Amino acid sequence: MIRFVLHRLLLTIPALLGLLVLTFIMLRVLPNDPSAALAGENATPAQIAAVRKAYGFDEPIWKQFVIYAGQVGRGDFGNSIISNRPVLRDIAERLPATLELTFVSLLFAACVGIPLGTMAAVWYNSFFDHAVRVATVAGLAIASFWFAIILQMIFAMELDWLPLRGRFPVGLAPPAHITGLYLVDSLLTLRFDLFHQAFVHILMPAFTMSLAGLASIARFTRAGVLETMQKEFVHYAEAAGYARSRIIWVYVLRNSVVGATTQIGLLFGGLIASAVAVESIFDWPGVGSYAVSAILTSDYKAVLAVTLVVGLIYSLVNILVDVVHAWLDPRVAEKL
């Protein structure tokens, strides 16, 4: 297992390099000129040309990439045009907000989607099964930005049950910084009042992001449980007199969630990508909103850094998913 993990970690290096090349080329062929953004709105053509020469934008693209790749190899991602601070510092401050939103969304999607899919398979072709199938199709079809606005209109504007936007109330100090995750930090410091504030602020954006993932996990779980229930060991357990609830929730479910856990790993990257729209709507101070600002201002170093960080997290999560597969199914571990 250790050899497998090390091998997968080494494979992430060429994958991240390819991601860097692709993103760099896409940013450099866009019509937006980073030199003009750096020089300012009222800059003259001569000033823009001077900035272009100072930052090396007048060099061939391949040479610019080699220089930037060398800087990245030394851990230098440059300064942001937006904040004029090191890009890594900006990302480090915003990444916990995005990770917390993603983790809560995944947790909700898994805790609701797996039981829904299991019960739909157990009650195959019942009214509940048909209702779950219709709901999951709707969950996959609904646009997240539209659903987010509907939630804001109902629960924030009409009912006034939840805050409209933001990660924490304005004027209220967040919990002491330990992990950067407000929910975790408030529990670690026993500040349950702050936990409540962080919880009500994350409810709507997390539910919005989890909708498609919940539907996908439920469908994969349903398919896996239906297939496993036809296995001989299930019929043997039923003939031996085991309780049906024990057969379903202990033996069948463990052999059925391999596909669902794979989907969870894939969803992690998708959720971080969808956080761009959700964070903008809910004014969530995460990496997604930072990436939107970087794109609009042609802050190419910030965009490249965000892309690499998200790609690295996505790769690490997929390695973790493979390890979980090996734990759930020993046959997978033998092939690693």
Side-chain angles (χ1 to χ4, degrees):
M1 180 63 69
I2 295 176
R3 184 171 63 252
F4 165 77
V5 172
L6 292 176
H7 177 68
R8 288 293 302 273
L9 286 174
L10 289 176
L11 288 179
T12 61
I13 297 176
L16 292 176
L17 180 60
L19 181 63
L20 180 62
V21 172
L22 181 62
T23 308
F24 188 88
I25 293 176
M26 291 177 63
L27 288 174
R28 300 303 290 126
V29 299
L30 288 177
N32 292 338
D33 187 0
S35 303
L38 283 169
E41 296 181 358
N42 300 321
T44 63
Q47 292 173 328
I48 295 176
V51 171
R52 185 177 293 112
K53 182 175 181 61
Y55 282 86
F57 293 141
D58 57 339
E59 300 287 349
I61 293 181
W62 67 267
K63 189 172 182 179
Q64 294 182 42
F65 176 77
V66 171
I67 295 173
Y68 180 74
Q71 293 174 345
V72 171
R74 296 191 300 270
D76 179 15
F77 286 83
N79 290 342
S80 168
I81 297 175
I82 304 173
S83 61
N84 198 28
R85 301 192 310 168
V87 172
L88 283 184
R89 182 186 300 176
D90 288 342
I91 295 177
E93 291 180 357
R94 291 173 171 267
L95 186 60
T98 298
L99 290 179
E100 183 174 43
L101 183 59
T102 304
F103 286 141
V104 173
S105 303
L106 269 180
L107 182 63
F108 180 81
C111 291
V112 176
I114 291 177
L116 275 182
T118 303
M119 291 186 291
V122 172
W123 297 323
Y124 177 67
N125 270 342
S126 65
F127 174 79
F128 182 83
D129 182 28
H130 291 302
V132 169
R133 291 162 68 182
V134 171
T136 54
V137 172
L140 292 171
I142 293 177
S144 61
F145 67 89
W146 176 85
F147 189 68
I149 296 173
I150 295 299
L151 289 180
Q152 286 180 323
M153 292 176 61
I154 296 175
F155 294 101
M157 298 179 181
E158 290 292 333
L159 300 176
D160 196 24
W161 289 355
L162 297 172
L164 180 64
R165 58 180 60 200
R167 190 184 181 194
F168 215 66
V170 178
L172 181 63
H177 184 87
I178 300 175
T179 64
L181 311 179
Y182 285 0
L183 292 173
V184 177
D185 291 347
S186 58
L187 289 177
L188 292 177
T189 55
L190 302 179
R191 292 295 305 272
F192 299 107
D193 55 331
L194 300 182
F195 176 85
H196 175 263
Q197 293 295 335
F199 181 74
V200 296
H201 277 79
I202 203 173
L203 268 179
M204 282 199 297
F207 183 66
T208 302
M209 285 180 55
S210 69
L211 192 62
L214 190 156
S216 181
I217 291 172
R219 292 174 69 87
F220 271 84
T221 303
R222 177 183 178 275
V225 171
L226 282 176
E227 181 182 357
T228 305
M229 289 178 66
Q230 307 302 318
K231 302 290 186 181
E232 292 184 358
F233 77 90
V234 176
H235 299 311
Y236 174 80
E238 291 175 342
Y242 284 89
R244 184 167 176 78
S245 59
R246 179 177 176 83
I247 294 173
I248 297 298
W249 297 104
V250 177
Y251 301 113
V252 172
L253 187 58
R254 176 167 182 174
N255 287 274
S256 306
V257 295
V258 173
T261 53
T262 302
Q263 191 65 15
I264 290 173
L266 296 175
L267 283 172
F268 190 89
L271 287 176
I272 292 182
S274 65
V276 172
V278 175
E279 288 184 2
S280 298
I281 294 172
F282 288 100
D283 195 21
W284 193 264
V287 174
S289 57
Y290 179 71
V292 171
S293 301
I295 293 171
L296 294 178
T297 56
S298 300
D299 192 351
Y300 78 100
K301 288 189 176 181
V303 176
L304 288 170
V306 169
T307 303
L308 283 177
V309 170
V310 172
L312 178 61
I313 294 174
Y314 185 70
S315 299
L316 295 177
V317 168
N318 277 275
I319 295 174
L320 180 61
V321 168
D322 289 337
V323 174
V324 173
H325 279 185
W327 174 72
L328 290 172
D329 190 350
R331 294 172 298 179
V332 176
E334 295 176 357
K335 298 177 182 179
L336 299 180

